C-alpha cells in the first residue's frame, strides 16, 4: 500500500475534544427490573392464562439489550411460579450464521444459558408452517420448538427499524414474523419487495397470533443510554393495538448525534449485537434503503475501524462505509456474514470498502476525499465507539462552535491529538 500511503501522508488529522451529549436519563432501577417484569405478566388476561403443567416457550432474540438476561430470567421464574414448565427458544431469523449452534452462542454471549436461566434453552433452524398469511395467502413459518409449546411468551425491545417505516418496526410483531420464522421465514419476507416490508411484518405477525398459542409478551423500550426505560406486558390484542404507541415512545427516547452533518464519521466498531445493520442508520444516517427511510447525521464519508467480539465475525453493514481497516477485514468471517445477505437480499451491506493498513491512514483517506467539505482547513470529524453508545464521543475542532452553542453538550477536555500507537492504530 506504499502508493496510497504516499498519496495521503500529508493529510492532517484535526485536533479533537471529548464531549458529553446529555439526554433524558429516566430509567427503571436495575433492582426493580425483575419485579417490574413479573408485575407486568401478573395479569388475568396474560400470565393468568398459564396453568400448571403447561410448556411455555419464551422467545429471546439476537439484539444486545441491557438487562437482557435479568428480564429473561424473571419471565422464567414467573412461569415456574404458575406451576408451568418454561424453556427459551432462539428467535432471531438467520442470525448466528443461520445455524442452531451460532444462535445458541449469541444467547450465551448475553448470559442466556441453561445454567443462568434455570430452564432449557432450545435452538434449532427447523420450522413448521403456521398457516397462510391473511392477505397474500403465503405460507408463514414458525420455529418448531416454539410450535410445540402450550403457550408462547414473546420478549423483545421496541425501537425504530433500520430499513423500513411502519406501525410495527423492531419489536414483538417483527419477532413473530421474522425472528420465530428462522432463516426460512425471514427469507420469505425479505425476498419480496422492500416497499411492502412493513405490510408483511404485520401480515405474517398476525398470522402467528391467529394460529399459534401466543399468550402475549414483554415489550421493552430503552432510553438514549440503553438503560431500561419502560417494560410493558402485552396481550395478543395489545400487541396489535399498543405496540405502535410504544414504537412512537422509542422514537423519542432513542439517542442521536446532536449535529446535523459532518465531513467524516468514524465508528470504532460495528456488529449484529449493536444493530441489525451493524451500525444503526438512525444514528449514522447510512440506510440500507434510503428511498424508504431517512434520519441520522449527514456524513460525507464513514470510516469503520473494527467489529465487535460479540458479532462473531459477522461484518454485515460494512458496505455502508467508504473506508475500513485491514484489522476488520482479517476478523471478518464470510461464513457468518454472507448468510444474512442471502436471507435479506441486501447484498451491498456485505461489500468491502477501501481497506487501509491502520486507523490513521483510514482517517487520512476519508478526510482527503471530502470535496463537499465547507472548510478544508477545519474539517468536521466525529468519532463514536459504536452507534449504541454515543453519550460520550469525540469531535474535531471544526465542530466546537456548534458544540459550545448547544446546551445539551458538555465539553469535557481541551483539544488534543488522537493517540495513535506505533502501528498507527487507536486501539
Amino acid at each position: 500500500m506504499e502508493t496510497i500511503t504516499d498519496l495521503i501522508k500529508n493529510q492532517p488529522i484535526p485536533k479533537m475534544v471529548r464531549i458529553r451529549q446529555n439526554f433524558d436519563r429516566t430509567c427503571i432501577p436495575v433492582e426493580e427490573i425483575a419485579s417490574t417484569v413479573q408485575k407486568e405478566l401478573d395479569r388475568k388476561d396474560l400470565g393468568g392464562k398459564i396453568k400448571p403443567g403447561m410448556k411455555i416457550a419464551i422467545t429471546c432474540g439476537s439484539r444486545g439489550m441491557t438487562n437482557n438476561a435479568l428480564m429473561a430470567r424473571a419471565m422464567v421464574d414467573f412461569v415456574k411460579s404458575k406451576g408451568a414448565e418454561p424453556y427459551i427458544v432462539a428467535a432471531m431469523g438467520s442470525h448466528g450464521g443461520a445455524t442452531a449452534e451460532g444462535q445458541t452462542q449469541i444467547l450465551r454471549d448475553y448470559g442466556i444459558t441453561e445454567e443462568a436461566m434455570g430452564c432449557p434453552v432450545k435452538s434449532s433452524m427447523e420450522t413448521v408452517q403456521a398457516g397462510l398469511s391473511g392477505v397474500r395467502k403465503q405460507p408463514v413459518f414458525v420455529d418448531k420448538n416454539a410450535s410445540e409449546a402450550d403457550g408462547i411468551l414473546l420478549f423483545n425491545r421496541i425501537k425504530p427499524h433500520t430499513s423500513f417505516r411502519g406501525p410495527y418496526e423492531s419489536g414483538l410483531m417483527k419477532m413473530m414474523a421474522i425472528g420465530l420464522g428462522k432463516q426460512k421465514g425471514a427469507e420469505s419476507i425479505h425476498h419480496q419487495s422492500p416497499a411492502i416490508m412493513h405490510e408483511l411484518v404485520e401480515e405474517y405477525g398476525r398470522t402467528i397470533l391467529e394460529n399459534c398459542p401466543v399468550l402475549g409478551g414483554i415489550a421493552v423500550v430503552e432510553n438514549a443510554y440503553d438503560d431500561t426505560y419502560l417494560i410493558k406486558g402485552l396481550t395478543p390484542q395489545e400487541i396489535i393495538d399498543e405496540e405502535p404507541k410504544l414504537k412512537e415512545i422509542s422514537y423519542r427516547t432513542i439517542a442521536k448525534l446532536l449535529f446535523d452533518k459532518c465531513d467524516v464519521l468514524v465508528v470504532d466498531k460495528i456488529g449484529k449485537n449493536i444493530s441489525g445493520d451493524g451500525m444503526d442508520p438512525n444514528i449514522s444516517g447510512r440506510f440500507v434503503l434510503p428511498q424508504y427511510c431517512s434520519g441520522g447525521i449527514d456524513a460525507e464519508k464513514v470510516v469503520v475501524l473494527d467489529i465487535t467480539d460479540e458479532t462473531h465475525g459477522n461484518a454485515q453493514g460494512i458496505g455502508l462505509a467508504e473506508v475500513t481497516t485491514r484489522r476488520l477485514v482479517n476478523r471478518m468471517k464470510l461464513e457468518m456474514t454472507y448468510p444474512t445477505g442471502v436471507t435479506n437480499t441486501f447484498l451491498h451491506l456485505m461489500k468491502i470498502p477501501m481497506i487501509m493498513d491502520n486507523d490513521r491512514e483510514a482517517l487520512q483517506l476519508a478526510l482527503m476525499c471530502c470535496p463537499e467539505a465547507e472548510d478544508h482547513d477545519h474539517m468536521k470529524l466525529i468519532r463514536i465507539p459504536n452507534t449504541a453508545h454515543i453519550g460520550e464521543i469525540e469531535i474535531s475542532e471544526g465542530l466546537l462552535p456548534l458544540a459550545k452553542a448547544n446546551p445539551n453538550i458538555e465539553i469535557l477536555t481541551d483539544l488534543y491529538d488522537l493517540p495513535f500507537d506505533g502501528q498507527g492504530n487507536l486501539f
Side-chain angles (χ1 to χ4, degrees):
M1 300 284 283
E2 291 183 10
T3 302
I4 301 300
T5 299
D6 189 59
L7 288 172
I8 64 175
K9 66 182 181 182
N10 294 322
Q11 173 63 47
I13 295 175
K15 290 183 178 294
M16 307 291 285
V17 297
R18 177 167 289 275
I19 67 168
R20 177 180 294 123
Q21 300 192 121
N22 291 311
F23 305 104
D24 182 2
R25 290 187 174 273
T26 302
C27 65
I28 300 172
V30 173
E31 61 272 18
E32 297 177 14
I33 295 290
S35 61
T36 302
V37 170
Q38 296 188 354
K39 178 182 177 182
E40 289 296 317
L41 289 173
D42 194 16
R43 294 165 45 191
K44 183 177 180 180
D45 53 355
L46 184 49
K49 295 180 179 179
I50 300 174
K51 306 302 180 185
M54 290 177 68
K55 292 180 170 57
I56 305 297
I58 299 169
T59 67
C60 288
S62 59
R63 296 290 179 265
M65 181 166 51
T66 304
N67 301 313
N68 198 346
L70 178 60
M71 289 185 281
R73 178 61 196 246
M75 295 179 72
V76 168
D77 289 344
F78 179 84
V79 172
K80 286 183 177 180
S81 74
K82 294 294 184 177
E85 301 173 22
Y87 61 92
I88 285 170
V89 296
M92 56 184 79
S94 65
H95 298 172
T99 68
E101 297 76 17
Q103 297 195 352
T104 299
Q105 182 60 53
I106 288 174
L107 294 181
R108 186 179 298 120
D109 289 343
Y110 296 147
I112 298 175
T113 64
E114 294 191 350
E115 295 76 19
M117 296 296 103
C119 73
V121 175
K122 300 184 180 184
S123 177
S124 169
M125 300 308 294
E126 273 193 88
T127 59
V128 297
Q129 185 172 324
L132 295 176
S133 62
V135 178
R136 294 166 179 84
K137 305 304 177 185
Q138 296 164 334
V140 175
F141 300 97
V142 66
D143 174 75
K144 185 174 185 293
N145 287 320
S147 74
E148 295 170 349
D150 299 310
I152 299 171
L153 285 176
L154 306 166
F155 169 45
N156 203 15
R157 177 178 57 191
I158 311 293
K159 67 182 293 290
H161 198 265
T162 59
S163 62
F164 71 89
R165 296 288 182 251
Y168 308 94
E169 295 183 23
S170 289
L172 302 186
M173 191 70 80
K174 180 173 173 282
M175 174 171 266
M176 288 186 288
I178 294 178
L180 277 175
K182 311 300 284 195
Q183 194 279 334
K184 191 171 184 179
E187 181 179 88
S188 174
I189 288 181
H190 281 295
H191 279 243
Q192 300 180 64
S193 171
I196 62 169
M197 188 170 177
H198 62 290
E199 298 174 7
L200 295 173
V201 164
E202 179 177 359
E203 185 180 340
Y204 280 47
R206 283 176 176 263
T207 303
I208 298 291
L209 287 175
E210 292 164 3
N211 293 278
C212 298
V214 176
L215 303 178
I218 288 291
V220 179
V221 176
E222 293 183 326
N223 68 14
Y225 301 95
D226 289 333
D227 294 320
T228 306
Y229 176 82
L230 182 151
I231 298 171
K232 186 68 175 175
L234 300 176
T235 65
Q237 187 59 48
E238 287 171 340
I239 292 173
I240 295 171
D241 298 335
E242 300 299 320
E243 183 175 326
K245 300 174 186 177
L246 297 177
K247 182 209 69 178
E248 293 304 316
I249 293 174
S250 77
Y251 267 88
R252 297 196 297 270
T253 62
I254 191 174
K256 61 181 179 180
L257 293 170
L258 299 178
F259 303 89
D260 293 331
K261 62 185 298 185
C262 67
D263 301 316
V264 176
L265 174 66
V266 180
V267 183
D268 283 358
K269 296 183 180 183
I270 64 171
K272 293 291 283 186
N273 60 307
I274 301 297
S275 170
D277 291 347
M279 54 183 174
D280 189 340
N282 296 294
I283 306 297
S284 71
R286 294 302 179 94
F287 286 87
V288 60
L289 297 169
Q291 63 269 46
Y292 303 121
C293 288
S294 63
I297 195 167
D298 178 11
E300 185 172 353
K301 295 293 186 289
V302 172
V303 180
V304 173
L305 301 180
D306 203 354
I307 55 176
T308 64
D309 293 337
E310 296 84 353
T311 200
H312 298 289
N314 189 334
Q316 172 168 306
I318 189 60
L320 298 174
E322 281 80 22
V323 185
T324 191
T325 63
R326 192 167 301 281
R327 173 182 57 220
L328 182 148
V329 174
N330 288 342
R331 297 186 67 199
M332 178 181 182
K333 295 180 181 178
L334 301 184
E335 67 273 19
M336 293 296 289
T337 305
Y338 284 0
T340 309
V342 174
T343 301
N344 65 25
T345 75
F346 304 143
L347 300 185
H348 61 293
L349 285 177
M350 322 303 164
K351 289 183 177 180
I352 300 175
M354 287 189 70
I355 305 166
M356 302 309 292
D357 285 333
N358 56 47
D359 297 344
R360 180 192 289 112
E361 292 188 353
L363 269 63
Q364 286 178 304
L365 174 62
L367 287 162
M368 188 174 182
C369 297
C370 288
E372 299 297 326
E374 295 174 352
D375 185 348
H376 285 89
D377 293 325
H378 298 89
M379 296 292 284
K380 297 178 176 64
L381 183 148
I382 298 176
R383 180 188 175 201
I384 64 176
N386 56 61
T387 55
H389 300 96
I390 58 172
E392 289 193 13
I393 62 175
E394 293 172 290
I395 64 169
S396 66
E397 186 175 6
L399 286 165
L400 260 180
L402 290 174
K404 290 178 178 179
N406 191 323
N408 293 314
I409 293 178
E410 294 179 61
I411 312 297
L412 301 178
T413 68
D414 294 327
L415 288 165
Y416 57 84
D417 291 317
L418 284 173
F420 297 102
D421 63 20
Q423 286 71 49
N425 291 318
L426 290 166
F427 53 87

